[in-house]
Amino acid sequence: MADTLTLFTSIGLSEQKAKETLKNDALSSFNMLGDVVDRDTMGTLLYSMASRLKDTKRLAFLSHSIAQCKICTELQLAAALDFVKSHPHDPINQKEFEEACGVGVVITPEQIEDAVESVIKKHKEQLLKERYRFNMGLLMGEARSALKWADGKVIKNEVDMQVLHLLGPKTEADLEKKPKVMQFIIFKGIPMTGEGKSLMEQLRGEALKFHKSGENYKTEGYVVTPNTMSLLKKHLEITGGQIRTRFPPEPNGILHIGHAKAINFNFGYAKANNGICFLRYDDTNPEKEEEKYFTAIKDMVEWLGYKPYAVTHASDNFQQLYDLAVDLIRRGHAYVCHQKVEELKGHNAPPSPWRDRPIEESLVLFERMKKGLFAEGEATLRMKMVMEDGKMDPVAYRIKYTPHHRTGDEWCIYPTYDYTHCLCDSIENITHSLCTKEFQARRSSYYWLCNALDVYCPVQWEYGRLNLTYTVVSKRKIIKLVETGVVRDWDDPRLFTLTALRRRGFPPEAINNFCARVGVTVSQTTTEPHLLESCVRDVLNDTAPRAMAVLEPLKVTITNLPESSKSDVRVPDFPANEAKGSHTVSFTRTIFIEQSDFREVMEKGYKRLTPEQPVGLRHAGYVISVQKVIKDAQGKVVELEVTCCSSETAEKPKAFIHWVSQPLVCEMRLYERLFLHKHPEDPSEVPNGFLSDINPNSLQVISSALVDTSVKGANVYDKFQFERVGYFSLDPDSTADKKIIQEIHNVHHLNIHVYVYVNID
């Protein structure tokens, strides 16, 4: 058993996952190692397979395929799982299986270059006519269909490079906005416009069919009382008919991507209709509230581009809420109860024997609760009503002997959400109380309480939650990830909290654009991270200046340049629009290129540097040719000696590669998705819980990476694109002596993410 455990950990599994895998007899009953090329990848594939397939015979078959390096990628594994699941009883036809899974298919950079070149040639006439208005997605689609097993992001990068080579930088005419053609997308619930409309356009006017200010009574389900019209008249006198919304988070955790939709919906609806929006902290649970959460929430709202009309707190209204509770008792709608918390849980709690106690008795007992004459859990104030989900007499006040963040020891009774929420909305004269769909069951209690107290009653409107796959956003689960050391803190770049996304380098406008693309849906929305990443790329492509970096350096000495040779090379910040500026980098006798940009043995279709084939250096104006290959004692290529000539006089090379000279020495941390499965909280996908689904390769380190010196003066959160690598941002941990550059998106990896430690002399 110990030997097998060592075997599993040697192929990239953590000790915990190795022990879990040992429970699977079919998977652990034979030697899987074989001739392993990439142990970390193999470990991830084995664990992913074992957690998604229960057929022991098929497990053994697929395990051998992975161990023999026939199945090498997640894309191949997905195809393999589909194949074996569609052949549950048949003996596996090895040839059909390998064809279906792309076994042995190697997609080289040259094949990608050729495929893209072929597609561009096919559409060349239309491309030259329409230029950058041409639908580039068509090129991507055709190239991908030709190369089923290729990395889509590498194809995208190659398309961009070849289109730029064909068309040149964007002109002023290219930069003019194309007239919008409206596209309509039907969501479950209401028809909404997709990318054809901005979020503001979606939230403006008749799109949502919301009531007009003061016309609450026209809303379906709104309860009208004899005093409704006079209360609405007073409400209009206060608001002047202005739209009023609020964003009411609990200050007991960090906001996540789902909150971005709520922020955009609440603040956006007010802004789109010339209204105001309050940031109101629902601070009624002193046990879980901390100052850092208050600060972080406000920071994130403002980071997304919204300024609250006012920052308020539920605790601002503690005295008024208490007075209203006394009034509720006097009206016969509330009573003091002594049932224990355990008795009140669930929807079938026994009726309270104190429900019909005299009003005067409840008033006295409630005053005693306020004075601290009961122990915690010994008494609660309950409202006499039945909620839409069947729950009877929800609690309005409970006892907590915990000092409050703002009010200290002034109170020992605190109101609940069901009591506080609607009354704070009423106090602030909110016109549209916008909340997520799960609060629909509380709508009737919302209206009941306002009407029972004879106060102004806003209208509650529900919208669908926004969820992302491959992540968890629950406060409790994120705390568990932090406590177990899986992630560093709430802002770990692998999380989807807003602080993590900001640290990762996601522009706020990209997150807002993502919310607009998702649309103001009534139904719950679950989407994959690549849609958010697409929005990020769209913004950064226009805003992140280019630079060069080499992740796996190979030293190149240009022998026909003098030892002291040094010149400045101009690199455009935005090659498609050079008018936006440039920077200079040094070019000396010694440069560094990517190891993958050189091959000692020429292969068919390879277009970069070989002893027989020269290559161009991007931006430098030189073509280099290999003269000597230098190897270490183990036979590894460690240096090239080359000669250079001007690209103006040399024959045009088949490719141009990036390079660095006199660079900053870096350490890069690459991140993949934190979880292996789309739904890590789903027991049917991950039976052993979300902590068992951690991707063992979510953090990888590359040493001796090199970055050009143009990033040396960058400020925290400055963003730039390393050519042929990805988008990066300067991390807040940076110091004067060590800059940390964190990757936002990488063209060679799926959803990965990099820190770069920069040693500055």
Side-chain angles (χ1 to χ4, degrees):
M1 177 71 76
D3 291 341
T4 310
L5 181 64
T6 303
L7 174 67
F8 281 129
T9 55
S10 76
I11 58 171
L13 296 185
S14 66
E15 186 173 346
Q16 177 188 354
K17 289 183 177 60
K19 289 178 179 177
E20 291 173 8
T21 309
L22 278 173
K23 299 174 185 177
N24 189 317
D25 294 334
L27 190 58
S28 58
S29 60
F30 57 87
N31 188 336
M32 296 177 302
L33 266 179
D35 184 16
V36 180
V37 177
D38 186 340
R39 292 169 178 254
D40 288 343
T41 300
M42 180 181 173
T44 302
L45 291 173
L46 285 170
Y47 179 73
S48 181
M49 175 204 63
S51 60
R52 292 154 70 181
L53 186 65
K54 305 306 175 190
D55 185 329
T56 54
K57 292 182 180 179
R58 301 310 194 210
L59 272 172
F61 174 79
L62 285 190
S63 300
H64 278 300
S65 298
I66 294 172
Q68 294 165 4
C69 299
K70 291 183 176 180
I71 302 298
C72 305
T73 68
E74 279 289 343
L75 190 62
Q76 287 182 307
L77 178 61
L81 289 168
D82 288 341
F83 187 91
V84 298
K85 287 177 181 177
S86 63
H87 297 75
H89 306 298
D90 306 332
I92 295 292
N93 182 309
Q94 189 72 31
K95 184 178 179 182
E96 290 180 3
F97 170 78
E98 292 186 0
E99 286 179 357
C101 304
V103 174
V105 177
V106 177
I107 306 297
T108 66
E110 290 68 40
Q111 287 177 289
I112 294 174
E113 290 173 15
D114 289 342
V116 172
E117 192 175 296
S118 176
V119 171
I120 287 180
K121 184 177 180 181
K122 175 183 174 183
H123 296 282
K124 184 176 180 180
E125 184 178 343
Q126 198 67 18
L127 264 167
L128 291 171
K129 180 180 177 182
E130 298 183 18
R131 290 182 59 80
Y132 288 98
R133 294 176 188 262
F134 184 84
N135 179 12
M136 302 300 173
L138 180 63
L139 305 181
M140 277 287 298
E142 292 188 14
R144 292 203 70 169
S145 63
L147 298 170
K148 178 181 178 181
W149 305 105
D151 187 327
K153 293 179 177 62
V154 179
I155 293 178
K156 170 69 166 59
N157 191 54
E158 186 63 31
V159 168
D160 290 344
M161 296 278 285
Q162 291 199 29
V163 167
L164 178 62
H165 183 72
L166 175 67
L167 302 180
K170 288 183 180 179
T171 64
E172 289 186 13
D174 294 324
L175 296 172
E176 288 179 7
K177 288 189 177 179
K178 186 177 180 179
K180 288 185 179 179
V181 177
M182 205 61 69
Q183 302 172 353
F184 290 90
I185 299 174
I186 303 299
F187 289 100
K188 294 177 182 177
I190 56 175
M192 294 301 301
T193 55
E195 293 184 39
K197 279 193 174 183
S198 70
L199 185 68
M200 291 298 108
E201 289 171 319
Q202 293 182 48
L203 294 170
R204 192 177 295 123
E206 296 297 318
L208 298 173
K209 307 299 181 187
F210 284 171
H211 69 282
K212 293 180 181 178
S213 184
E215 295 184 355
N216 304 29
Y217 58 90
K218 293 185 178 181
T219 306
E220 183 179 351
Y222 188 81
V223 179
V224 178
T225 71
N227 287 329
T228 293
M229 299 314 293
S230 62
L231 290 169
L232 285 175
K233 183 179 178 181
K234 291 178 182 176
H235 161 74
L236 283 172
E237 289 173 358
I238 294 170
T239 65
Q242 187 180 44
I243 296 292
R244 288 190 173 198
T245 61
R246 81 290 169 272
F247 174 57
E250 297 176 75
N252 59 7
I254 298 296
L255 302 182
H256 55 71
I257 187 64
H259 289 112
K261 180 178 180 180
I263 291 169
N264 272 279
F265 201 5
N266 281 282
F267 283 93
Y269 182 68
K271 184 176 181 179
N273 295 280
N274 300 314
I276 60 176
C277 182
F278 295 81
L279 169 58
R280 183 206 306 149
Y281 294 108
D282 183 16
D283 57 341
T284 58
N285 189 353
E287 293 173 333
K288 298 181 179 180
E289 293 156 7
E290 295 183 43
E291 173 60 31
K292 67 177 181 179
Y293 298 136
F294 286 87
T295 303
I297 288 170
K298 185 171 182 289
D299 285 348
M300 289 301 98
V301 168
E302 293 178 347
W303 178 62
L304 288 178
Y306 295 107
K307 184 170 179 60
Y309 170 75
V311 177
T312 61
H313 304 74
S315 57
D316 296 337
N317 305 309
F318 274 176
Q319 185 60 52
Q320 189 171 354
L321 291 170
Y322 174 79
D323 294 340
L324 288 169
V326 172
D327 189 25
L328 195 66
I329 298 171
R330 287 200 176 105
R331 291 170 181 257
H333 296 311
Y335 63 96
V336 172
C337 176
H338 303 287
Q339 283 180 292
K340 302 299 180 186
V341 174
E342 294 73 21
E343 296 179 71
L344 299 179
K345 288 182 178 178
H347 293 279
N348 297 311
S352 171
W354 294 280
R355 194 173 199 268
D356 297 320
R357 78 188 325 161
I359 289 173
E360 290 304 321
E361 187 175 319
S362 283
L363 286 171
V364 170
L365 292 172
F366 190 49
E367 177 69 16
R368 293 183 66 193
M369 285 173 61
K370 178 177 178 287
K371 291 181 176 179
L373 300 178
F374 287 107
E376 284 192 22
E378 194 175 351
T380 59
L381 182 69
R382 297 176 65 183
M383 298 176 280
K384 293 183 180 180
M385 56 88 64
V386 180
M387 301 180 74
E388 285 185 27
D389 59 4
K391 192 170 184 179
M392 190 170 182
D393 294 0
V395 172
Y397 270 86
R398 72 279 202 214
I399 300 168
K400 286 182 181 290
Y401 291 107
T402 303
H404 188 273
H405 175 76
R406 299 182 70 241
T407 62
D409 295 323
E410 183 180 351
W411 296 89
C412 64
I413 56 171
Y414 294 98
T416 61
Y417 175 89
D418 289 319
Y419 178 79
T420 307
H421 184 63
C422 62
L423 295 180
C424 284
D425 281 353
S426 178
I427 291 167
E428 291 177 354
N429 276 283
I430 301 302
T431 58
H432 298 75
S433 181
L434 308 175
C435 55
T436 47
K437 198 72 174 176
E438 66 264 32
F439 291 101
Q440 186 170 351
R442 289 175 156 127
R443 191 197 299 169
S444 61
S445 64
Y446 184 107
Y447 293 159
W448 175 88
L449 183 54
C450 289
N451 291 328
L453 287 167
D454 215 13
V455 297
Y456 161 70
C457 184
V459 179
Q460 177 173 305
W461 292 94
E462 300 90 15
Y463 58 90
R465 284 175 62 102
L466 169 61
N467 298 310
L468 275 186
T469 54
Y470 294 104
T471 191
V472 297
V473 294
S474 155
K475 296 167 187 172
R476 178 179 59 83
K477 290 177 180 175
I478 291 177
I479 288 172
K480 198 74 175 174
L481 289 170
V482 174
E483 289 176 345
T484 55
V486 173
V487 298
R488 182 168 67 169
D489 207 339
W490 290 80
D491 65 349
D492 188 291
R494 291 166 288 178
L495 296 174
F496 281 86
T497 60
L498 292 184
T499 51
L501 295 180
R502 178 176 66 173
R503 181 165 194 162
R504 180 173 171 174
F506 280 30
E509 55 268 44
I511 295 174
N512 293 341
N513 292 345
F514 171 64
C515 293
R517 282 199 193 180
V518 170
V520 188
T521 55
V522 173
S523 60
Q524 180 167 296
T525 303
T526 300
T527 187
E528 295 196 20
H530 66 73
L531 178 58
L532 174 58
E533 292 162 0
S534 173
C535 293
V536 171
R537 288 196 304 272
D538 288 345
V539 172
L540 293 181
N541 191 51
D542 293 331
T543 59
R546 278 31 169 198
M548 292 189 286
V550 173
L551 276 63
E552 296 178 321
L554 175 60
K555 183 180 179 182
V556 176
T557 301
I558 306 173
T559 58
N560 62 333
L561 289 180
E563 289 280 354
S564 59
S565 175
K566 181 177 180 181
S567 60
D568 288 335
V569 173
R570 176 183 168 275
V571 178
D573 292 335
F574 299 89
N577 182 13
E578 295 191 15
K580 293 176 72 172
S582 63
H583 61 275
T584 59
V585 295
S586 296
F587 184 80
T588 66
R589 190 171 189 266
T590 300
I591 64 171
F592 298 88
I593 66 172
E594 290 284 359
Q595 292 179 19
S596 60
D597 283 338
F598 170 75
R599 285 188 188 173
E600 189 175 7
V601 179
M602 180 67 180
E603 295 179 16
K604 183 180 178 181
Y606 187 74
K607 295 185 178 182
R608 284 161 286 163
L609 187 61
T610 72
E612 297 83 26
Q613 181 169 272
V615 73
L617 299 178
R618 286 183 62 75
H619 311 299
Y622 288 112
V623 174
I624 58 173
S625 302
V626 176
Q627 303 301 314
K628 184 178 181 182
V629 178
I630 301 172
K631 301 180 181 180
D632 62 14
Q634 288 73 43
K636 179 182 177 182
V637 177
V638 294
E639 184 180 351
L640 301 176
E641 290 186 355
V642 305
T643 56
C644 72
C645 62
S646 170
S647 57
E648 294 181 359
T649 57
E651 183 180 344
K652 184 178 179 181
K654 291 184 178 180
F656 285 82
I657 62 174
H658 66 282
W659 52 275
V660 292
S661 181
Q662 295 187 333
L664 304 177
V665 181
C666 312
E667 175 185 297
M668 289 192 176
R669 295 180 182 179
L670 296 96
Y671 291 85
E672 297 180 2
R673 286 186 179 134
L674 184 58
F675 296 99
L676 295 170
H677 291 79
K678 280 189 177 182
H679 308 288
E681 298 169 282
D682 185 347
S684 64
E685 277 193 49
V686 187
N688 295 321
F690 74 102
L691 286 176
S692 70
D693 195 47
I694 303 300
N695 179 359
N697 296 322
S698 64
L699 170 62
Q700 298 177 28
V701 177
I702 292 181
S703 60
S704 303
L706 307 175
V707 179
D708 86 37
T709 55
S710 66
V711 305
K712 189 172 183 178
N715 297 314
V716 170
Y717 298 133
D718 279 357
K719 300 166 184 64
F720 27 83
Q721 180 182 354
F722 291 153
E723 296 191 26
R724 301 174 68 210
V725 181
Y727 295 101
F728 293 76
S729 175
L730 191 68
D731 188 79
D733 281 348
S734 298
T735 66
D737 298 322
K738 184 175 76 172
K739 289 187 182 293
I740 302 174
I741 304 173
Q742 180 163 270
E743 192 210 24
I744 306 164
H745 186 272
N746 187 293
V747 298
H748 299 297
H749 299 265
L750 182 61
N751 191 34
I752 68 167
H753 178 88
V754 177
Y755 286 91
V756 182
Y757 291 85
V758 183
N759 300 316
I760 301 175
D761 294 331

